[in-house]
Amino acid sequence: MNSIDHLNEGIPDVPTPANALVGEGPERQNNENAVERGREAFPAIRAASPAISSNAAGNAQSLEKLFQRMNVLSKEGKWTDLASVIRNHEELMIKRCGDLEQFILTCDPIKHSAAVIFALNVLYDIAEKKSLSSGQERVFDILRNFFISKTYGREQLLSIVDIYCQLFRKLHDYCISTKKYEIGLNVTILGIDAITDTGSGLLTSLHSHLFDLALQADQPGQACGYLEDIKDILNENMISQHISSNYSTNSPHIEYKYVLSYLYYGSEIAYKNKDVNRAIVLLHNLITFPATDIVPMLVTGHKKWFLYQILADKDVTPPAGRSPCLNRVWRQECEPYMKIYNAMQSKENTLAAVNAVLKEHEKVFEKDETTDLINALLVALTERAVLKVAKCFSNIGIQDLVRRAYLKSVEEAKELCEKLSQEGKLTARFENDVVHLQIPAHKVSESAIKKTLQRVEAAKQNLTTVHCSVQCHPIYLSRTLRVSGPGYLDDEGLSMSMAHSQALQKD
């Protein structure tokens, strides 16, 4: 019998290792196969672990006491105390790393969620230290099955949220280094859903990892649903009471680099999902973020914001509120982008002017990773040229269309008209050498109207809140009481205006 198998005796409703972390049907069989494959990795961890035979009996008793204490605290619902107990046994888990996997599978996923996550974090650190990639993959197999089962306690996960987020950061780094983007993407989605509600607007450091993995896997659609309006930030420094004695209440909830990553990668997700306006808003928040030093992400974000503004045909005046150091860097590196903007103002062949700038500063744009955006801008310019011709002519010769829109050939004109027709921007009909053009009336969808009304309602509520807070402010109250003393009549000029109107009526 395993040294900790007897710990389950007399404890009801504790799943066995065979059914604790797997699904049903074919998925269950696949998960069981993954579990069996993963078991082969852990003899290597056990073999590489230091000999602890002399203390094995004492360690087993300590592990048994830990398990018993966990059951008592989980039964009483004292999740903070449970997290403290688990943290205090980190050294024991490191010593008994060979038995940790069995310990994890023996734990009740609902009652001992915090213990499962903490033990997985310890196992990963040991596997990473010994460069055992099979052990690292095994940890993520167990983690994935843990979330697929949907049998976990959110309160427990939040009681060790710092360890929880650390584990997902390690998952992100491992998947990026091994190029296993889809695995990391799927597990991170499950991890976010475990501690947040859809539509809650709660930002975590996991969101930035999710967006990065989605971009690397070229699956921006999977992450689009997590691009919400941020209402609050999860306090990832909210650790247990025995550690919080030195914890400052002024400490940030998460490191600012994760907020910057959320805004930067989020703008990429929005753009790839054809939401340029959302990308502009995210990058606007990025470049106006208070910063005392400059990171490359801020500078690149400013350059992309500039190109997004041009792409959306908006004003490119830099927003107020940028840090002085970002202003200096922008002035030093903005020349190629200002040339793009100046080329856009050309009344002749705008497309050729922008192409010339692209060729002149090709290496700069490649270094800044903005070449794709400029190419998208060239496509947009070509489409705008055709639409401008359509606004002026309802019937035009196809050769004349090619000349006026600065196209290369008749075939390109036909392909472009067909593409614009599919997107609903243009109605084109070809008859011999003549094309009939018409721009359809713009239709606003019902969902867009509802979203706009919701934003207006939210703005009204914010104005009401600000108005109430201002009226109750001490400075406002003191001014009001001072000017409205005894015998003071403040009609804001109404009496004068009434006398003036009466005089006009008599005349």
Side-chain angles (χ1 to χ4, degrees), residues 44 91 147 300 428 483:
E91 185 177 350
F147 287 119
T300 306
V483 299

Side-chain angles (χ1 to χ4, degrees), residues 57 89 154 194 199 246 277 322 325 333 425 462 483:
H89 286 78
R154 176 176 291 186
N246 298 324
N277 291 327
R322 296 178 305 167
C325 42
E333 302 186 12
K425 298 178 181 178
N462 290 336
V483 299

Side-chain angles (χ1 to χ4, degrees), residues 92-375:
L92 172 65
M93 291 184 181
I94 295 173
K95 289 181 180 179
R96 296 297 306 278
C97 62
D99 295 324
L100 263 190
E101 181 186 0
Q102 183 62 34
F103 173 78
I104 292 168
L105 297 177
T106 305
C107 287
D108 184 339
I110 297 179
K111 298 177 181 178
H112 308 141
S113 299
V116 171
I117 296 299
F118 196 91
L120 284 174
N121 189 59
V122 171
L123 267 183
Y124 182 87
D125 288 342
I126 295 171
E128 184 181 34
K129 184 178 181 180
K130 300 181 183 301
S131 301
L132 298 173
S133 59
S134 56
Q136 293 170 295
E137 292 180 4
R138 175 63 180 143
V139 169
F140 297 137
D141 279 341
I142 298 176
L143 184 65
R144 180 178 62 86
N145 288 320
F146 173 72
F147 287 119
I148 288 176
S149 68
K150 295 188 182 299
T151 52
Y152 46 77
R154 176 176 291 186
E155 291 185 8
Q156 290 195 59
L157 298 180
L158 292 175
S159 68
I160 57 163
V161 68
D162 55 328
I163 303 298
Y164 185 86
C165 294
Q166 282 179 25
L167 182 59
F168 275 93
R169 282 195 281 276
K170 295 168 185 175
L171 167 68
H172 166 265
D173 296 341
Y174 176 77
C175 291
I176 291 294
S177 62
T178 58
K179 297 184 179 181
K180 297 181 179 180
Y181 309 124
E182 294 187 6
I183 295 175
L185 175 62
N186 295 330
V187 177
T188 305
I189 288 175
L190 294 172
I192 293 176
D193 292 341
I195 58 175
T196 64
D197 294 322
T198 303
S200 62
L202 184 64
L203 176 63
T204 70
S205 61
L206 274 62
H207 284 80
S208 62
H209 303 325
L210 171 65
F211 294 162
D212 188 18
L213 290 166
L215 292 170
Q216 296 292 343
D218 196 20
Q219 296 182 13
Q222 288 203 39
C224 189
Y226 295 86
L227 198 59
E228 304 177 35
D229 294 330
I230 300 303
K231 301 174 183 176
D232 199 1
I233 298 178
L234 178 66
N235 189 354
E236 296 180 6
N237 288 327
M238 192 181 297
I239 56 180
S240 59
Q241 187 175 0
H242 79 285
I243 292 180
S244 62
S245 57
N246 298 324
Y247 174 70
S248 172
T249 56
N250 294 325
S251 299
H253 287 191
I254 61 176
E255 294 183 47
Y256 80 94
K257 64 180 180 180
Y258 299 120
V259 179
L260 296 182
S261 298
Y262 170 83
L263 296 172
Y264 181 81
Y265 293 129
S267 68
E268 294 285 303
I269 294 292
Y271 174 72
K272 288 184 178 294
N273 283 281
K274 300 181 179 179
D275 191 351
V276 179
N277 291 327
R278 185 65 180 274
I280 289 173
V281 171
L282 289 167
L283 287 181
H284 181 279
N285 290 322
L286 174 70
I287 62 182
T288 55
F289 192 88
T292 55
D293 58 345
I294 292 300
V295 294
M297 191 176 291
L298 280 174
V299 181
T300 306
H302 197 308
K303 294 172 181 177
K304 290 188 176 182
W305 173 87
F306 189 86
L307 293 176
Y308 284 146
Q309 291 287 101
I310 297 176
L311 194 59
D313 200 16
K314 295 184 177 181
D315 183 24
V316 296
T317 304
R322 296 178 305 167
S323 63
C325 42
L326 181 58
N327 287 335
R328 288 194 298 271
V329 175
W330 172 246
R331 284 195 295 269
Q332 295 170 2
E333 302 186 12
C334 71
E335 182 183 357
Y337 297 92
M338 290 305 300
K339 285 184 177 180
I340 290 283
Y341 176 72
N342 294 331
M344 292 281 297
Q345 312 307 314
S346 174
K347 295 182 179 179
E348 297 297 329
N349 191 346
T350 306
L351 194 62
V354 174
N355 260 318
V357 177
L358 178 59
K359 291 180 180 179
E360 181 184 356
H361 300 280
E362 185 176 3
K363 293 183 179 179
V364 175
F365 295 136
E366 287 179 358
K367 181 183 177 182
D368 294 341
E369 299 180 352
T370 54
T371 305
D372 291 342
L373 263 180
I374 296 174
N375 289 329

Side-chain angles (χ1 to χ4, degrees), residues 423-442:
E423 294 176 357
K425 298 178 181 178
L426 179 69
T427 301
R429 181 168 53 87
F430 292 90
E431 288 185 359
N432 299 326
D433 293 335
V434 178
V435 57
H436 303 277
L437 302 173
Q438 183 180 1
I439 297 180
H442 179 65

